[in-house]
Amino acid sequence: MQKLSCIFLLLLTNCATPTQPTGGERDTSGPEVVQTTPQSGTVNFAEDHITFEFDDYVNRANFERAFRMEPDMGIDYSLNWGRRSVRVRFEDDLPDTTTIILTVGTDLTDTNNNKMASPFQLALSTGPDIDSGKISATVRDAETGEVIPDARVLLYRSPYDLAEKANYSAGTDTAGVASFNYLREGHYRGFWVDDRNRNQVWDPPREDAQPFPTDTLSLGRDQSASFATVFITREDTLAPELQAVGLLSSTRMRLRFSENVELGEEAAIDLFTLDQEPFSRAIPLYVDEGEPNILFAQSVEEFIEEELFTLELHDITDGAGNPAYSGIDSFEGSGEPDTTYLAYLEHLTEAGVYANEPLIFQYSKVIDEEVVTDSLKVIESDSLFEDWPGTDVRENKLVIHPDTVWRENVSYEVRIWNPESAGYVNIEPTIWHEDDLGELELLIEGPAEEDTASYRYTLTDGDETPVRSGRFADTLVLDQLPPRNYKLIVFEDLDGSGRWDPGSVEPFRAPEPYFIQRNIPVQSNMTGQVYVDFNGAGETGRTGEPDREDEPGMDGEAGPGREEEPEGTDEP
């Protein structure tokens, strides 16, 4: 009996997945392939198996997800595991005179769930030569310009059938580049796909896909080629849903949405009784900074305790502009008195204002205490003003207008009363005068395909706040810009729709030429140049800041969100 127990324990030891010994520092590095049999580059391969050896114990359960043979030939295989190795045995004969690529991808993890840092490729040939053609492609996010690691690119060798499994599949590395190596000469078609199940087949409409600017590449022997860059846009069409309304008092409301929300300039809430009779309006106060899916609002009329109400939302959206809607049938009123303190929350114009623009400060509820305006103090240089002209209240916002304009070469300090703390908040506002402002000149690199080419642009600041947008033909100067860093997106509006067209995989339609660059510096009293190169891989624009020879004309009113109207055009 003891002998049988020992045999049983030995079988358990051989069959179970080995595990790391416990204790010591936590392992955070993924497994690596340290050796293969045969070695990569082997020619005239005639064996029926290969072996991978790892530097660590790997998770055997996800090896098959990480392992692939290319080109895909439908060859079955079996696995035989050692402690830190696996033998892949081919159940079918390999084709003659073919370069075969065996890849262990980053889906493979060790027993601590650490992924491989980069894919490993073993190339061998059943003929006398290894094919050495190369194709690369880059994947970037169209909104941010950042590279996307672990994005999937499918590659088909002519003849193409997109309903079948791709001949080759590659994930992008940390630089956003998908690399296909050891390719034979021929014609290739590639595109990005959200291949969620990693089956190397595009499954529309469940999976998104976008084309590269070039549909097919002709690859000669030992040549290298590139599909350039695809800018991925995942259109957000899911509107935020109001999931719950909590009444903190007879007037104060807490609204919870399914996703983060933003308040437009016309944001409003209409309240109704259960039989749809108008009851009141509610003022959207602010979105909770810590929980951006929470909105606080204040009803003009007091709710009636235990009665049911409904509501309608206006100009409350998510970041993609999808309007919020109510997903609740009704909510119950409250008779609790409102004991919320009126508290100062935020300086909404902290990023700076132009000389003719007001300063705006936000409070936690509708400002109904005269102490806020009566206690306001403005210090202009050495002069103290306790009755500053042009001060007004807009619901829960205190607005302080300049006395005609904020004067140049004059320091300002604003002392805002906070009733909650019974003290002042001292603020030195940032005010942009003409000598503080700079310019950006946009120049299109290379000739346009049409003399009537039209380009659309969007300029945003570091907080993704829209600054300028519009259209232009060849060049454009954006003047009166505060000195800070900006993000620029430009595309050629080939179809005249005013929206960027990312193209179509099937039937093929090339994406409209697209350019994005972040962190473009604007310096005071300087003109920077941005060279828009649609043939680059993104983030490739060159900037410069030569001295401005002439002061630009300052005709018209400038300010954040101002829209350019070059070439006699108007952007609605």
Side-chain angles (χ1 to χ4, degrees), residues 458-506:
T458 302
L459 189 72
T460 55
D461 65 14
D463 295 327
E464 297 295 327
T465 302
V467 176
R468 306 279 178 86
S469 66
R471 54 184 172 174
F472 66 105
D474 299 315
T475 62
L476 175 66
V477 175
L478 304 175
D479 62 3
Q480 294 187 305
L481 295 176
R484 58 171 71 122
N485 288 345
Y486 295 88
K487 182 182 76 176
L488 174 70
I489 293 177
V490 180
F491 68 92
E492 187 173 359
D493 191 12
L494 296 174
D495 61 7
S497 67
R499 295 169 57 90
W500 179 58
D501 180 6
S504 167
V505 171
E506 190 65 27

Side-chain angles (χ1 to χ4, degrees), residues 512-534:
E512 291 179 326
Y514 188 87
F515 172 90
I516 181 171
Q517 186 172 344
R518 298 170 297 169
N519 299 320
I520 301 174
V522 169
Q523 299 182 20
S524 297
N525 207 30
M526 306 279 274
T527 299
Q529 293 178 324
V530 180
Y531 295 86
V532 179
D533 182 6
F534 292 117

Side-chain angles (χ1 to χ4, degrees), residues 93-99 125-127 184:
D93 292 336
L94 299 179
D96 295 333
T97 320
T98 301
T99 296
S125 175
T126 56
R184 63 182 298 187

Side-chain angles (χ1 to χ4, degrees), residues 303-323:
F303 288 105
I304 302 171
E305 190 172 7
E306 296 185 353
E307 287 206 15
L308 298 178
F309 298 89
T310 63
L311 55 75
E312 290 182 0
L313 305 168
H314 304 284
D315 203 17
I316 300 171
T317 68
D318 61 11
N322 298 307

Side-chain angles (χ1 to χ4, degrees), residues 241-471:
E241 176 188 5
L242 175 63
Q243 297 177 324
V245 175
L247 296 186
L248 306 178
S249 70
S250 60
T251 59
R252 193 167 180 82
M253 307 170 65
R254 182 182 185 273
L255 292 78
R256 176 169 57 83
F257 292 87
S258 59
E259 59 176 304
N260 298 347
V261 293
E262 300 177 357
L263 300 180
E265 292 184 1
E266 304 297 326
I269 301 173
D270 289 329
L271 301 172
F272 302 88
T273 60
L274 193 58
D275 56 3
Q276 291 301 303
E277 289 295 322
F279 173 73
S280 178
R281 69 182 181 92
I283 301 164
L285 298 172
Y286 63 94
V287 174
D288 192 307
E289 184 177 353
E291 297 180 272
N293 67 320
I294 302 297
L295 168 64
F296 288 95
Q298 183 174 339
S299 173
V300 174
E301 301 292 335
E302 291 189 355
F303 288 105
I304 302 171
E305 190 172 7
E306 296 185 353
E307 287 206 15
L308 298 178
F309 298 89
T310 63
L311 55 75
E312 290 182 0
L313 305 168
H314 304 284
D315 203 17
I316 300 171
T317 68
D318 61 11
N322 298 307
Y325 70 96
S326 175
I328 61 175
D329 294 329
S330 62
F331 62 94
E332 188 174 329
S334 170
E336 287 293 322
D338 188 7
T339 58
T340 306
Y341 278 106
L342 178 64
Y344 169 81
L345 290 182
E346 185 180 6
H347 179 193
L348 296 180
T349 49
E350 183 178 10
V353 297
Y354 290 89
N356 59 348
E357 292 183 322
L359 304 173
I360 305 175
F361 305 90
Q362 182 168 264
Y363 283 76
S364 62
K365 55 186 292 189
V366 172
I367 300 173
D368 55 1
E369 300 179 20
E370 293 184 355
V371 67
V372 171
T373 53
D374 292 346
S375 301
L376 174 67
K377 300 179 188 294
V378 177
I379 300 175
E380 184 181 66
S381 291
D382 295 329
S383 300
L384 174 63
F385 295 85
E386 296 185 333
D387 188 16
W388 183 261
T391 301
D392 67 90
V393 170
R394 300 175 187 173
E395 296 173 339
N396 68 320
K397 297 178 180 65
L398 176 65
V399 182
I400 305 175
H401 297 271
D403 187 9
T404 308
V405 294
W406 302 110
R407 295 163 56 194
E408 195 169 1
N409 299 320
V410 172
S411 63
Y412 288 90
E413 181 181 324
V414 181
R415 296 180 179 176
I416 305 294
W417 182 253
N418 184 2
E420 182 184 42
S421 63
Y424 281 101
V425 178
N426 298 333
I427 296 169
E428 295 182 5
T430 299
I431 299 170
W432 305 116
H433 298 280
E434 288 189 8
D435 287 343
D436 300 318
L437 306 176
E439 295 180 342
L440 275 182
E441 182 180 15
L442 313 185
L443 302 100
I444 303 296
E445 289 267 83
E449 296 183 2
E450 303 280 347
D451 292 337
T452 57
S454 176
Y455 303 98
R456 297 269 178 170
Y457 77 94
T458 302
L459 189 72
T460 55
D461 65 14
D463 295 327
E464 297 295 327
T465 302
V467 176
R468 306 279 178 86
S469 66
R471 54 184 172 174

Side-chain angles (χ1 to χ4, degrees), residues 7 77 103 107 141 166 176 185 197 207 214 231 290-291 362 369 420 434 458 486 500 520 551:
I7 294 174
Y77 61 86
T103 301
D107 286 328
D141 187 290
E185 66 270 21
N197 57 11
E207 296 176 341
T214 302
F231 292 93
E291 297 180 272
Q362 182 168 264
E369 300 179 20
E420 182 184 42
E434 288 189 8
T458 302
Y486 295 88
W500 179 58
I520 301 174
E551 280 296 311

